[in-house]
Amino acid sequence: MQGSARRRPFPAAAPGSAPPAGAPCPSVPSRHGAGKAEDTFKTSPFHLDLWFYFTLQNWVLDFGRPIAMIILPLEWFPLNKPSAGDYFHMAYNVITPFLLLKLIERSPKTLPRSMVYVSIITFVMGASIHLVGDSVNHRLIFSGYQHHLSVRENPIIRNLKPETLIDSFELLYYYDEYLGHSMWYIPFFLILFIYFTGCFTPAAGQSRMPLAALLLVGPSSLYYWYLVTEGQIFILYIFTFFAMMALVMHQRRKGLVLDSNGLFLFLSFTITLLLIAAWVGWLWNDKILRKKYPGVIYIPEPWAFYTLHMNNLHAAKGSF
């Protein structure tokens, strides 16, 4: 009978040929992991190795750059050659994007890879621009340059002839403090936020940090304080922090909470805000620093404070 006729199976396709019309198409995993929808709420353990290396290299290669340049003998690194801090910066420009990519790889959620790649490329370019400008600006310290003064107010620069040379130094300062910082820090915080979006889990029991994470929060927060104050990127930082807060509240309505990695990052940013507030409160009445940072947002740079107060203190001790 017609109703009981069996359906004929689709003939096997020859190797390399397209499947017959109407045949079910086998699922092909995406090259960029777009088919990992089932891993959206997979719990990720705390990445102790990555966070430890990330914090360590930030302190050694970023914060330690100018310190190494000042402490090591000038005879080892002449003023017309790269300083020890420059080599630190070169290593930072390679290791940091690598660690950021490893963080993204370990995210239990599929993240926008194209945005991550563009951000990493921009990060490397901005950090490299900053490497050149920062190298020259810090080498000028040995010639009497004072970071708490503007370029034109510095004694070693204001009397330069012809005066167009001053414009060149201001251009160098622009590449160092504005263009380099923007292209460096905007993608840096964007990558951290993208990673943060994948740090949510429906398991409330996973929303706590191990002891190792608690021990790393202090050094991590202190480094972000240095990054925000020295880089003069408070607006970028506070917008990122507010975006994190908004995302946490939005996900909580869905029954999702932060996992240990998300808690570590969120707590680090929270403590950073408290440290910045304490720093500003301590230097609130400093008239000289107020002159250099006249805007509504008054956040002095640590190295400006050092050249203003600590250098004078060392000079006073040396006179006795």
Side-chain angles (χ1 to χ4, degrees):
M1 294 178 61
Q2 186 177 2
S4 61
R6 294 183 179 179
R7 294 184 180 179
R8 296 178 59 189
F10 291 103
S17 61
C25 182
S27 59
V28 179
S30 171
R31 185 191 309 176
H32 299 288
K36 287 173 54 182
E38 69 276 4
D39 293 338
T40 301
F41 299 124
K42 181 180 177 182
T43 301
S44 179
F46 183 69
H47 308 316
L48 175 60
D49 55 342
L50 289 182
W51 289 121
F52 174 77
Y53 294 142
F54 191 65
T55 304
L56 180 64
Q57 68 94 28
N58 282 336
W59 273 106
V60 174
L61 300 180
D62 191 16
F63 179 79
R65 284 186 296 109
I67 298 176
M69 182 197 66
I70 293 174
I71 292 179
L72 294 179
L74 190 60
E75 295 78 15
W76 295 0
F77 304 94
L79 292 178
N80 61 344
K81 301 294 182 181
S83 69
D86 297 340
Y87 292 112
F88 278 36
H89 207 321
M90 294 175 195
Y92 175 91
N93 291 4
V94 175
I95 297 174
T96 303
F98 173 77
L99 292 177
L100 289 174
L101 284 173
K102 296 303 291 184
L103 272 178
I104 295 296
E105 286 180 5
R106 292 197 188 178
S107 174
K109 180 181 177 182
T110 301
L111 302 175
R113 297 296 177 87
S114 296
M115 183 178 295
V116 171
Y117 295 153
V118 172
S119 298
I120 290 291
I121 294 170
T122 308
F123 171 91
V124 174
M125 184 176 179
S128 300
I129 292 174
H130 179 267
L131 164 63
V132 178
D134 192 65
S135 173
V136 177
N137 283 333
H138 277 94
R139 302 293 260 179
L140 288 174
I141 294 178
F142 294 102
S143 302
Y145 188 85
Q146 302 178 40
H147 276 284
H148 64 278
L149 298 176
S150 66
V151 174
R152 289 187 177 271
E153 291 177 342
N154 261 272
I156 67 169
I157 291 180
R158 63 188 176 194
N159 296 323
L160 286 177
K161 299 297 179 182
E163 291 189 1
T164 52
L165 284 175
I166 302 179
D167 295 332
S168 299
F169 276 100
E170 285 188 325
L171 176 62
L172 180 69
Y173 185 83
Y174 172 80
Y175 272 109
D176 178 14
E177 297 294 329
Y178 295 100
L179 184 62
H181 281 183
S182 298
M183 295 182 65
W184 176 3
Y185 295 132
I186 290 177
F188 177 80
F189 280 94
L190 179 60
I191 292 170
L192 288 180
F193 180 75
I194 291 174
Y195 172 78
F196 184 77
T197 61
C199 294
F200 290 88
T201 175
Q206 300 294 332
S207 185
R208 56 175 177 266
M209 294 191 301
L211 178 61
L214 293 173
L215 294 176
L216 277 178
V217 163
S220 176
S221 305
L222 196 59
Y223 170 75
Y224 287 128
W225 162 82
Y226 170 77
L227 189 72
V228 173
T229 53
E230 185 65 27
Q232 294 293 286
I233 53 170
F234 178 77
I235 294 179
L236 173 61
Y237 155 77
I238 203 66
F239 268 94
T240 305
F241 183 55
F242 285 161
M244 287 179 171
M245 292 180 61
L247 184 61
V248 168
M249 291 186 290
H250 175 71
Q251 296 287 54
R252 186 170 296 175
R253 293 178 186 150
K254 298 180 179 180
L256 301 177
V257 293
L258 286 170
D259 62 12
S260 56
N261 295 287
L263 278 175
F264 173 79
L265 195 55
F266 188 74
L267 186 57
S268 296
F269 272 54
T270 303
I271 298 177
T272 298
L273 185 60
L274 299 178
L275 293 174
I276 293 172
W279 172 255
V280 172
W282 183 39
L283 300 175
W284 186 259
N285 295 320
D286 194 305
K287 295 181 180 179
I288 298 179
L289 292 177
R290 276 281 184 179
K291 185 177 179 181
K292 181 177 182 179
Y293 307 97
V296 177
I297 301 177
Y298 168 69
I299 301 179
E301 299 171 69
W303 277 103
F305 171 82
Y306 173 82
T307 58
L308 173 61
H309 295 291
M310 303 307 293
N311 271 353
N312 294 337
L313 181 62
H314 295 330
K317 288 182 178 180
S319 63
F320 287 107

